[in-house]
Amino acid sequence: METKGFTDQVDNYIHDLRRAIYQPVVERDAGRASIDRRKAALLLLPLLNGEQWTDEMQTAALAIGAIHTAFDVHDQIDIADASSKEQQLMVLAGDHFSGIHYKLLASIPNFHLIRSLSAAIGRVNECKTTLLQTPPTTLEERLQLITEVESACIVEFFDTFGFTRYTHIIETLVPFLWLLDSRQHDLNRMKFPHLVPNTSDTQDWIDQLQQQLKDRLENSFYLHTELVEALQKMTNEPESKLK
């Protein structure tokens, strides 16, 4: 499969997700929600690698995309100014996307997935509270919590549909990408900018996770060569598309 195929599949998923979460009043008042392309690509790893992908999996993946969008919108809310009209609209938009998540899940229905995602969402909210209020002192523990926040729903999706062999890749890429973002992005656009470590610690962990990812990709013989190259490119150019 050529890498353009990866781009097309991610594009198609994002198009379907936008259509699923679209509500004209929400978009008019709160603006068009941003969709995390990299996270979408990680969720779609089995599809990009040529695994069988059913309608049920597609619906479940859209449901996870909706809750990820809800998380991202709610993360933009300024607690100190939550009463402003703009902030209230953000709350309502996030709640709308969360409702779409549950509506999509109910249309399957896969009760095991519903239960596991509900538990994952609870863990995500607990981890966010810890990271915002009483973050651990060590960077290792902080990265573990960030990984849980960003990948818990994807991991449950993989577990439910028999894609667990992709989990170790996700759990290495997520903290790796966060660290790369912390070094290259405007901190005001980052999640948990108050947790960014000093330059020395960042580089040490980047080196460690880069080697870990290299080892895991080399030992994942089921991955197509083109997909391995695309994942490596994602870490070289963290803001680029998966292409």
Side-chain angles (χ1 to χ4, degrees):
M1 181 188 296
E2 295 181 358
T3 54
K4 184 181 184 301
F6 304 155
T7 303
D8 289 345
Q9 287 175 309
V10 177
D11 284 344
N12 290 339
Y13 169 80
I14 290 176
H15 172 78
D16 291 345
L17 177 57
R18 286 206 178 280
R19 187 169 57 183
I21 66 176
Y22 177 71
Q23 212 292 332
V25 174
V26 171
E27 191 160 304
R28 181 196 68 197
D29 293 341
R32 197 182 199 202
S34 175
I35 293 176
D36 188 330
R37 185 181 182 85
R38 289 188 314 194
K39 198 182 294 183
L42 296 181
L43 173 61
L44 298 178
L45 271 185
L47 172 65
L48 300 179
N49 197 45
E51 301 275 7
Q52 181 180 7
W53 194 261
T54 65
D55 290 343
E56 180 184 24
M57 293 173 189
Q58 179 69 5
T59 300
L62 291 173
I64 292 172
I67 199 63
H68 282 165
T69 305
F71 286 153
D72 291 345
V73 169
H74 281 155
D75 287 344
Q76 298 174 43
I77 297 168
D78 183 354
I79 297 176
D81 188 33
S83 62
S84 71
K85 179 180 178 180
E86 181 182 11
Q87 294 290 294
Q88 288 177 348
L89 289 172
M90 296 294 284
V91 172
L92 292 174
D95 290 347
H96 165 71
F97 301 139
S98 180
I100 296 297
H101 162 79
Y102 290 108
K103 180 180 177 180
L104 287 168
L105 284 183
S107 73
I108 301 176
N110 182 319
F111 298 111
H112 170 74
L113 180 63
I114 292 171
R115 286 192 296 268
S116 63
L117 283 177
S118 178
I121 290 168
R123 295 197 306 274
V124 166
N125 288 327
E126 289 175 3
C127 291
K128 284 185 177 182
T129 300
T130 299
L131 288 168
L132 291 171
Q133 296 183 358
T134 55
T137 55
T138 70
L139 180 56
E140 180 177 11
E141 292 174 304
R142 293 181 179 189
L143 289 175
Q144 288 174 348
L145 291 178
I146 290 168
T147 301
E148 181 77 1
V149 167
E150 296 295 276
S151 68
C153 291
I154 298 176
V155 169
E156 294 299 340
F157 174 83
F158 288 174
D159 286 349
T160 298
F161 291 110
F163 297 136
T164 53
R165 61 183 181 175
Y166 295 91
T167 298
H168 69 294
I169 298 172
I170 299 292
E171 292 179 340
T172 303
L173 267 170
V174 166
F176 188 13
L177 291 171
W178 184 84
L179 287 170
L180 290 175
D181 288 350
S182 76
R183 191 171 64 177
Q184 299 184 27
H185 287 187
D186 176 355
L187 296 187
N188 291 327
R189 297 170 54 202
M190 274 196 66
K191 287 189 178 181
F192 314 115
H194 65 294
L195 301 181
V196 172
N198 63 48
T199 304
S200 175
D201 285 344
T202 298
Q203 191 56 54
D204 287 346
W205 273 93
I206 285 175
D207 292 343
Q208 179 179 326
L209 289 168
Q210 188 171 39
Q211 183 60 49
Q212 186 177 99
L213 179 64
K214 180 176 180 291
D215 292 342
R216 289 184 169 180
L217 291 177
E218 287 179 351
N219 289 304
S220 298
F221 303 109
Y222 53 89
L223 291 177
H224 293 306
T225 301
E226 294 86 351
L227 183 56
V228 171
E229 292 172 352
L231 290 170
Q232 291 170 335
K233 184 174 182 180
M234 184 187 288
T235 63
N236 292 333
E237 303 175 56
E239 285 194 288
S240 70
K241 292 182 179 181
L242 183 67
K243 61 181 181 179

Coordinates of all heavy atoms in Angstrom, one line a residue, residues 34-112:
S34 N -11.9 21.4 16.4 CA -10.6 20.8 15.8 C -10.6 19.3 16.1 O -10.9 18.9 17.2 CB -9.4 21.5 16.5 OG -8.2 21.0 16.0
I35 N -10.1 18.6 15.1 CA -10.0 17.1 15.2 C -8.5 16.8 15.2 O -7.8 17.2 14.3 CB -10.8 16.4 14.1 CG1 -12.3 16.6 14.3 CG2 -10.4 14.9 14.1 CD1 -13.1 16.0 13.2
D36 N -8.1 16.1 16.2 CA -6.7 15.7 16.3 C -6.3 14.6 15.2 O -6.7 13.4 15.4 CB -6.4 15.2 17.7 CG -4.9 15.0 18.0 OD1 -4.2 14.6 17.0 OD2 -4.5 15.1 19.1
R37 N -5.6 15.0 14.2 CA -5.4 14.1 13.1 C -4.4 13.0 13.5 O -4.6 11.8 13.1 CB -4.8 14.9 11.9 CG -4.5 14.0 10.7 CD -3.9 14.8 9.5 NE -3.8 13.9 8.4 CZ -4.8 13.7 7.5 NH1 -5.9 14.3 7.6 NH2 -4.6 12.9 6.5
R38 N -3.4 13.3 14.3 CA -2.5 12.3 14.7 C -3.2 11.2 15.6 O -2.9 10.0 15.4 CB -1.3 12.9 15.5 CG -0.4 13.7 14.7 CD 0.8 14.1 15.5 NE 0.5 14.7 16.8 CZ 1.4 15.3 17.5 NH1 2.6 15.5 17.1 NH2 1.0 15.8 18.7
K39 N -4.0 11.6 16.5 CA -4.7 10.7 17.3 C -5.7 9.8 16.5 O -5.8 8.6 16.7 CB -5.5 11.4 18.4 CG -5.9 10.5 19.6 CD -6.7 11.2 20.6 CE -5.9 12.3 21.3 NZ -6.7 13.0 22.4
A40 N -6.3 10.4 15.5 CA -7.1 9.7 14.5 C -6.3 8.6 13.8 O -6.7 7.4 13.7 CB -7.8 10.6 13.5
A41 N -5.1 9.0 13.4 CA -4.3 8.0 12.7 C -3.9 6.8 13.6 O -3.8 5.7 13.2 CB -3.0 8.7 12.1
L42 N -3.6 7.1 14.9 CA -3.2 6.1 15.8 C -4.4 5.1 16.0 O -4.2 3.9 16.1 CB -2.8 6.7 17.1 CG -1.5 7.5 17.0 CD1 -1.1 8.1 18.4 CD2 -0.3 6.8 16.5
L43 N -5.6 5.7 16.2 CA -6.8 4.9 16.3 C -7.0 3.9 15.1 O -7.4 2.8 15.3 CB -8.0 5.8 16.5 CG -9.4 5.1 16.5 CD1 -9.5 4.2 17.7 CD2 -10.5 6.2 16.6
L44 N -6.6 4.4 13.9 CA -6.8 3.7 12.7 C -5.7 2.8 12.3 O -5.7 2.2 11.2 CB -7.1 4.6 11.6 CG -8.3 5.5 11.6 CD1 -8.4 6.4 10.4 CD2 -9.6 4.7 11.8
L45 N -4.7 2.6 13.2 CA -3.5 1.8 12.9 C -3.9 0.4 12.3 O -3.3 0.0 11.3 CB -2.6 1.6 14.1 CG -1.5 2.7 14.3 CD1 -0.7 2.3 15.5 CD2 -0.7 2.9 13.1
P46 N -4.8 -0.3 12.9 CA -5.1 -1.6 12.3 C -5.6 -1.5 10.9 O -5.2 -2.3 10.0 CB -6.1 -2.2 13.2 CG -5.9 -1.5 14.5 CD -5.5 -0.1 14.2
L47 N -6.5 -0.5 10.6 CA -7.0 -0.3 9.3 C -5.9 0.1 8.3 O -5.8 -0.5 7.2 CB -8.1 0.8 9.3 CG -8.6 1.3 7.9 CD1 -9.3 0.2 7.2 CD2 -9.5 2.5 8.1
L48 N -5.0 1.0 8.7 CA -3.9 1.4 7.9 C -2.9 0.3 7.6 O -2.3 0.3 6.5 CB -3.2 2.6 8.5 CG -4.0 3.8 8.8 CD1 -3.1 4.9 9.5 CD2 -4.6 4.4 7.6
N49 N -2.9 -0.7 8.5 CA -2.0 -1.9 8.3 C -2.7 -3.0 7.5 O -2.1 -4.1 7.4 CB -1.5 -2.4 9.6 CG -0.3 -3.3 9.5 OD1 0.6 -3.0 8.8 ND2 -0.3 -4.4 10.2
G50 N -3.9 -2.8 7.1 CA -4.6 -3.8 6.2 C -5.4 -4.8 7.0 O -5.9 -5.8 6.4
E51 N -5.7 -4.6 8.3 CA -6.5 -5.5 9.0 C -8.0 -5.4 8.5 O -8.4 -4.4 8.0 CB -6.5 -5.1 10.5 CG -5.1 -5.2 11.2 CD -4.7 -6.5 11.6 OE1 -5.4 -7.5 11.3 OE2 -3.6 -6.6 12.3
Q52 N -8.7 -6.5 8.7 CA -10.2 -6.5 8.4 C -10.8 -5.4 9.3 O -10.6 -5.3 10.5 CB -10.8 -7.8 8.6 CG -12.3 -7.9 8.3 CD -12.9 -9.2 8.5 OE1 -12.2 -10.1 9.1 NE2 -14.1 -9.4 8.1
W53 N -11.6 -4.6 8.6 CA -12.3 -3.4 9.3 C -13.8 -3.5 9.0 O -14.2 -3.2 7.9 CB -11.6 -2.1 8.8 CG -11.9 -0.9 9.6 CD1 -12.9 0.0 9.4 CD2 -11.2 -0.5 10.8 NE1 -12.8 1.0 10.3 CE2 -11.8 0.7 11.2 CE3 -10.2 -1.0 11.5 CZ2 -11.4 1.5 12.3 CZ3 -9.7 -0.3 12.7 CH2 -10.3 0.9 13.0
T54 N -14.6 -3.8 10.0 CA -16.0 -4.0 9.8 C -16.8 -2.6 10.0 O -16.2 -1.7 10.5 CB -16.5 -5.0 10.8 OG1 -16.4 -4.5 12.1 CG2 -15.8 -6.3 10.6
D55 N -18.0 -2.7 9.7 CA -18.9 -1.5 9.9 C -19.0 -1.2 11.4 O -19.0 0.0 11.8 CB -20.3 -1.7 9.3 CG -20.3 -1.7 7.8 OD1 -19.3 -1.2 7.2 OD2 -21.3 -2.2 7.2
E56 N -19.0 -2.3 12.2 CA -19.1 -2.1 13.7 C -17.8 -1.4 14.2 O -17.9 -0.5 15.0 CB -19.2 -3.4 14.4 CG -19.3 -3.3 15.9 CD -19.4 -4.7 16.6 OE1 -18.9 -5.7 16.0 OE2 -19.9 -4.7 17.7
M57 N -16.7 -1.8 13.7 CA -15.4 -1.1 14.1 C -15.4 0.3 13.7 O -15.0 1.2 14.4 CB -14.2 -1.8 13.4 CG -14.0 -3.2 14.0 SD -12.7 -4.1 13.0 CE -12.8 -5.7 13.6
Q58 N -15.9 0.6 12.4 CA -15.9 2.0 12.0 C -16.8 2.9 12.9 O -16.5 4.0 13.2 CB -16.4 2.0 10.5 CG -16.5 3.4 9.9 CD -15.2 4.1 9.7 OE1 -14.1 3.5 9.9 NE2 -15.2 5.4 9.3
T59 N -18.0 2.3 13.2 CA -18.9 3.1 14.1 C -18.3 3.3 15.5 O -18.4 4.4 16.0 CB -20.2 2.4 14.2 OG1 -20.9 2.2 13.0 CG2 -21.2 3.1 15.2
A60 N -17.6 2.3 16.0 CA -17.0 2.4 17.3 C -15.8 3.4 17.2 O -15.6 4.2 18.1 CB -16.4 1.0 17.7
A61 N -15.1 3.4 16.1 CA -14.0 4.4 15.9 C -14.5 5.8 15.9 O -13.9 6.7 16.4 CB -13.2 4.0 14.7
L62 N -15.7 6.0 15.2 CA -16.3 7.3 15.2 C -16.7 7.8 16.5 O -16.6 8.9 16.9 CB -17.4 7.3 14.2 CG -17.1 7.2 12.7 CD1 -18.4 7.0 11.9 CD2 -16.3 8.3 12.2
A63 N -17.3 6.8 17.3 CA -17.7 7.1 18.7 C -16.5 7.6 19.5 O -16.6 8.5 20.3 CB -18.3 5.9 19.3
I64 N -15.3 6.9 19.3 CA -14.1 7.3 20.1 C -13.6 8.7 19.6 O -13.2 9.5 20.4 CB -13.1 6.2 20.0 CG1 -13.5 5.0 20.7 CG2 -11.7 6.7 20.5 CD1 -12.6 3.8 20.5
G65 N -13.7 8.9 18.3 CA -13.4 10.2 17.8 C -14.2 11.3 18.4 O -13.8 12.4 18.6
A66 N -15.5 11.0 18.6 CA -16.4 12.0 19.1 C -16.1 12.3 20.6 O -16.1 13.5 21.0 CB -17.9 11.5 19.0
I67 N -15.7 11.3 21.4 CA -15.4 11.6 22.8 C -14.0 12.3 22.9 O -13.8 13.1 23.7 CB -15.4 10.3 23.6 CG1 -15.5 10.6 25.1 CG2 -14.2 9.4 23.4 CD1 -16.8 11.4 25.5
H68 N -13.1 11.9 21.9 CA -11.8 12.6 21.9 C -12.0 14.1 21.6 O -11.4 15.0 22.2 CB -10.9 12.0 20.8 CG -10.2 10.8 21.3 ND1 -9.6 9.9 20.4 CD2 -10.1 10.2 22.5 CE1 -9.1 8.9 21.0 NE2 -9.4 9.0 22.3
T69 N -13.0 14.4 20.7 CA -13.3 15.8 20.4 C -13.9 16.5 21.6 O -13.6 17.7 21.9 CB -14.2 15.9 19.2 OG1 -13.7 15.1 18.1 CG2 -14.5 17.3 18.7
A70 N -14.8 15.8 22.3 CA -15.4 16.4 23.5 C -14.3 16.7 24.5 O -14.3 17.7 25.1 CB -16.4 15.4 24.1
F71 N -13.4 15.7 24.7 CA -12.3 16.0 25.7 C -11.5 17.2 25.3 O -11.2 18.1 26.1 CB -11.3 14.8 25.7 CG -11.8 13.6 26.4 CD1 -11.3 12.3 26.0 CD2 -12.7 13.6 27.4 CE1 -11.8 11.2 26.7 CE2 -13.2 12.5 28.1 CZ -12.7 11.3 27.7
D72 N -11.1 17.3 24.0 CA -10.3 18.4 23.5 C -11.0 19.8 23.7 O -10.4 20.8 24.1 CB -9.9 18.2 22.1 CG -8.9 17.0 21.9 OD1 -8.3 16.6 22.9 OD2 -8.8 16.6 20.8
V73 N -12.3 19.8 23.4 CA -13.1 21.0 23.6 C -13.2 21.4 25.1 O -12.9 22.6 25.5 CB -14.5 20.9 23.0 CG1 -15.4 22.1 23.4 CG2 -14.4 20.8 21.5
H74 N -13.5 20.5 25.9 CA -13.5 20.7 27.4 C -12.2 21.2 27.9 O -12.1 22.0 28.9 CB -14.1 19.5 28.1 CG -15.6 19.4 28.0 ND1 -16.2 18.2 28.2 CD2 -16.6 20.3 27.8 CE1 -17.5 18.3 28.0 NE2 -17.7 19.6 27.8
D75 N -11.1 20.7 27.4 CA -9.8 21.0 27.8 C -9.5 22.5 27.6 O -8.6 23.1 28.2 CB -8.7 20.2 27.2 CG -8.7 18.8 27.7 OD1 -9.3 18.5 28.8 OD2 -8.1 17.9 27.1
Q76 N -10.2 23.1 26.6 CA -10.0 24.5 26.3 C -10.7 25.5 27.3 O -10.5 26.7 27.2 CB -10.5 24.8 24.9 CG -9.7 24.0 23.8 CD -10.3 24.3 22.4 OE1 -10.6 25.4 22.1 NE2 -10.5 23.2 21.7
I77 N -11.5 24.9 28.1 CA -12.3 25.8 29.0 C -11.4 26.3 30.1 O -10.7 25.6 30.8 CB -13.5 25.0 29.6 CG1 -14.4 24.5 28.5 CG2 -14.2 25.8 30.7 CD1 -15.4 23.5 29.0
D78 N -11.5 27.6 30.3 CA -10.8 28.3 31.4 C -11.6 28.3 32.6 O -12.6 29.0 32.7 CB -10.5 29.7 31.0 CG -9.6 30.5 32.0 OD1 -9.4 29.9 33.1 OD2 -9.2 31.6 31.7
I79 N -11.2 27.5 33.6 CA -12.1 27.4 34.8 C -12.2 28.7 35.5 O -13.3 29.0 36.1 CB -11.4 26.3 35.8 CG1 -11.4 25.0 35.2 CG2 -12.2 26.3 37.1 CD1 -10.7 23.9 36.0
A80 N -11.2 29.6 35.4 CA -11.3 30.9 36.1 C -12.3 31.8 35.4 O -12.8 32.8 36.0 CB -9.9 31.5 36.1
D81 N -12.7 31.5 34.2 CA -13.6 32.3 33.5 C -14.7 31.5 32.8 O -15.2 31.8 31.7 CB -12.9 33.1 32.4 CG -13.7 34.2 31.7 OD1 -14.6 34.7 32.4 OD2 -13.5 34.4 30.5
A82 N -15.1 30.5 33.5 CA -16.1 29.5 33.0 C -17.5 30.1 32.8 O -18.3 29.5 32.1 CB -16.1 28.2 33.8
S83 N -17.8 31.2 33.4 CA -19.1 31.8 33.3 C -19.3 32.7 32.1 O -20.4 33.1 31.8 CB -19.4 32.6 34.6 OG -18.5 33.7 34.7
S84 N -18.3 33.0 31.3 CA -18.4 33.8 30.2 C -19.2 33.1 29.1 O -19.3 31.8 29.1 CB -17.1 34.2 29.6 OG -16.4 33.1 29.0
K85 N -19.9 33.8 28.2 CA -20.7 33.2 27.2 C -19.9 32.3 26.3 O -20.3 31.2 26.0 CB -21.3 34.3 26.3 CG -22.2 33.8 25.2 CD -22.8 34.9 24.4 CE -23.6 34.3 23.2 NZ -24.3 35.4 22.4
E86 N -18.7 32.7 25.9 CA -17.8 31.9 25.0 C -17.5 30.6 25.7 O -17.5 29.5 25.1 CB -16.5 32.6 24.7 CG -15.6 31.8 23.8 CD -14.3 32.6 23.5 OE1 -14.1 33.6 24.2 OE2 -13.6 32.2 22.6
Q87 N -17.1 30.6 27.0 CA -16.8 29.4 27.7 C -18.0 28.5 27.9 O -17.9 27.3 27.8 CB -16.2 29.8 29.1 CG -14.8 30.5 29.0 CD -13.7 29.6 28.5 OE1 -13.3 28.7 29.2 NE2 -13.2 29.9 27.3
Q88 N -19.1 29.1 28.2 CA -20.3 28.3 28.3 C -20.7 27.5 27.0 O -21.1 26.4 27.0 CB -21.5 29.1 28.8 CG -21.4 29.6 30.2 CD -22.5 30.5 30.6 OE1 -23.3 31.0 29.8 NE2 -22.7 30.8 31.9
L89 N -20.5 28.2 25.9 CA -20.7 27.6 24.6 C -19.7 26.4 24.4 O -20.1 25.4 23.8 CB -20.5 28.6 23.5 CG -21.7 29.7 23.4 CD1 -21.3 30.7 22.3 CD2 -23.0 29.0 23.0
M90 N -18.5 26.6 24.8 CA -17.5 25.5 24.7 C -18.0 24.3 25.6 O -17.9 23.1 25.1 CB -16.2 25.9 25.2 CG -15.5 27.0 24.4 SD -15.2 26.5 22.7 CE -13.7 25.6 23.0
V91 N -18.5 24.6 26.7 CA -19.0 23.5 27.6 C -20.2 22.7 26.9 O -20.2 21.5 26.8 CB -19.6 24.0 28.9 CG1 -20.3 22.9 29.7 CG2 -18.4 24.6 29.8
L92 N -21.1 23.5 26.3 CA -22.2 22.9 25.6 C -21.8 22.1 24.4 O -22.3 21.0 24.1 CB -23.2 24.0 25.2 CG -23.9 24.7 26.3 CD1 -24.8 25.8 25.8 CD2 -24.8 23.7 27.1
A93 N -20.8 22.6 23.6 CA -20.2 21.9 22.5 C -19.6 20.6 22.9 O -19.9 19.6 22.2 CB -19.2 22.8 21.7
G94 N -18.8 20.6 23.9 CA -18.2 19.4 24.4 C -19.2 18.4 24.8 O -19.1 17.2 24.6
D95 N -20.3 18.9 25.5 CA -21.4 18.0 25.9 C -22.1 17.4 24.7 O -22.5 16.2 24.7 CB -22.4 18.7 26.8 CG -21.8 19.1 28.2 OD1 -20.7 18.6 28.5 OD2 -22.4 19.9 28.9
H96 N -22.2 18.2 23.7 CA -22.9 17.7 22.5 C -22.1 16.6 21.8 O -22.6 15.5 21.5 CB -23.0 18.8 21.4 CG -23.3 18.4 20.0 ND1 -24.5 17.8 19.7 CD2 -22.5 18.3 18.9 CE1 -24.5 17.5 18.4 NE2 -23.3 17.8 17.9
F97 N -20.7 16.7 21.7 CA -19.9 15.7 21.2 C -19.9 14.4 22.0 O -19.9 13.3 21.5 CB -18.5 16.2 21.0 CG -18.4 17.4 20.1 CD1 -17.5 18.5 20.4 CD2 -19.1 17.5 18.9 CE1 -17.4 19.6 19.6 CE2 -19.1 18.6 18.1 CZ -18.2 19.7 18.4
S98 N -19.9 14.6 23.3 CA -20.0 13.5 24.2 C -21.3 12.7 24.0 O -21.4 11.5 24.0 CB -19.9 14.0 25.7 OG -20.0 12.9 26.6
G99 N -22.4 13.5 23.8 CA -23.7 12.8 23.5 C -23.7 12.0 22.2 O -24.2 10.9 22.1
I100 N -23.0 12.5 21.2 CA -22.8 11.8 19.9 C -22.1 10.5 20.1 O -22.4 9.5 19.6 CB -22.1 12.7 18.9 CG1 -22.9 13.9 18.5 CG2 -21.8 11.9 17.6 CD1 -24.3 13.6 17.9
H101 N -21.1 10.6 21.0 CA -20.3 9.4 21.3 C -21.2 8.3 21.8 O -21.2 7.1 21.3 CB -19.3 9.7 22.4 CG -18.7 8.6 23.2 ND1 -17.7 7.7 22.7 CD2 -19.0 8.1 24.4 CE1 -17.4 6.8 23.5 NE2 -18.2 7.0 24.6
Y102 N -22.1 8.6 22.8 CA -23.0 7.6 23.3 C -24.1 7.2 22.3 O -24.5 6.0 22.3 CB -23.6 8.1 24.6 CG -22.6 8.2 25.8 CD1 -22.2 9.4 26.2 CD2 -22.1 7.0 26.3 CE1 -21.2 9.5 27.2 CE2 -21.1 7.1 27.4 CZ -20.7 8.3 27.8 OH -19.8 8.4 28.8
K103 N -24.5 8.1 21.5 CA -25.5 7.7 20.5 C -24.9 6.7 19.5 O -25.6 5.8 19.1 CB -25.9 9.0 19.8 CG -27.0 8.8 18.7 CD -27.3 10.1 18.0 CE -28.3 9.9 16.8 NZ -28.7 11.1 16.2
L104 N -23.7 7.0 19.1 CA -23.0 6.0 18.1 C -22.8 4.7 18.8 O -23.1 3.6 18.1 CB -21.7 6.6 17.7 CG -21.8 7.8 16.7 CD1 -20.4 8.5 16.5 CD2 -22.3 7.3 15.3
L105 N -22.4 4.6 20.0 CA -22.2 3.3 20.7 C -23.5 2.6 20.8 O -23.5 1.4 20.6 CB -21.6 3.6 22.1 CG -20.1 3.9 22.1 CD1 -19.7 4.0 23.6 CD2 -19.2 2.9 21.4
A106 N -24.6 3.3 21.1 CA -25.9 2.7 21.3 C -26.4 2.1 20.0 O -27.2 1.1 20.0 CB -26.9 3.7 21.8
S107 N -25.9 2.5 18.8 CA -26.3 2.0 17.5 C -25.7 0.7 17.2 O -26.1 0.1 16.2 CB -26.0 3.1 16.4 OG -24.6 3.1 16.1
I108 N -24.6 0.3 17.9 CA -24.0 -1.0 17.5 C -24.8 -2.2 17.9 O -25.2 -2.9 17.0 CB -22.5 -1.0 18.0 CG1 -21.7 0.2 17.5 CG2 -21.9 -2.3 17.6 CD1 -20.3 0.2 18.1
P109 N -25.3 -2.4 19.2 CA -24.6 -2.1 20.4 C -23.6 -3.2 20.8 O -23.9 -4.4 20.6 CB -25.7 -2.0 21.4 CG -26.7 -3.0 20.9 CD -26.5 -3.1 19.4
N110 N -22.4 -2.8 21.3 CA -21.5 -3.8 21.8 C -21.3 -3.5 23.2 O -20.6 -2.5 23.6 CB -20.1 -3.6 21.0 CG -19.1 -4.6 21.4 OD1 -18.9 -4.9 22.6 ND2 -18.3 -5.1 20.4
F111 N -22.0 -4.3 24.1 CA -22.1 -3.9 25.5 C -20.7 -4.0 26.2 O -20.4 -3.2 27.1 CB -23.1 -4.8 26.2 CG -24.5 -4.6 25.6 CD1 -25.1 -5.6 24.9 CD2 -25.2 -3.4 25.8 CE1 -26.4 -5.5 24.4 CE2 -26.4 -3.3 25.3 CZ -27.0 -4.3 24.6
H112 N -19.9 -4.9 25.7 CA -18.5 -5.0 26.3 C -17.8 -3.7 26.0 O -17.1 -3.1 26.9 CB -17.7 -6.2 25.7 CG -16.3 -6.2 26.1 ND1 -15.9 -6.5 27.4 CD2 -15.2 -5.9 25.4 CE1 -14.5 -6.4 27.4 NE2 -14.1 -6.0 26.2

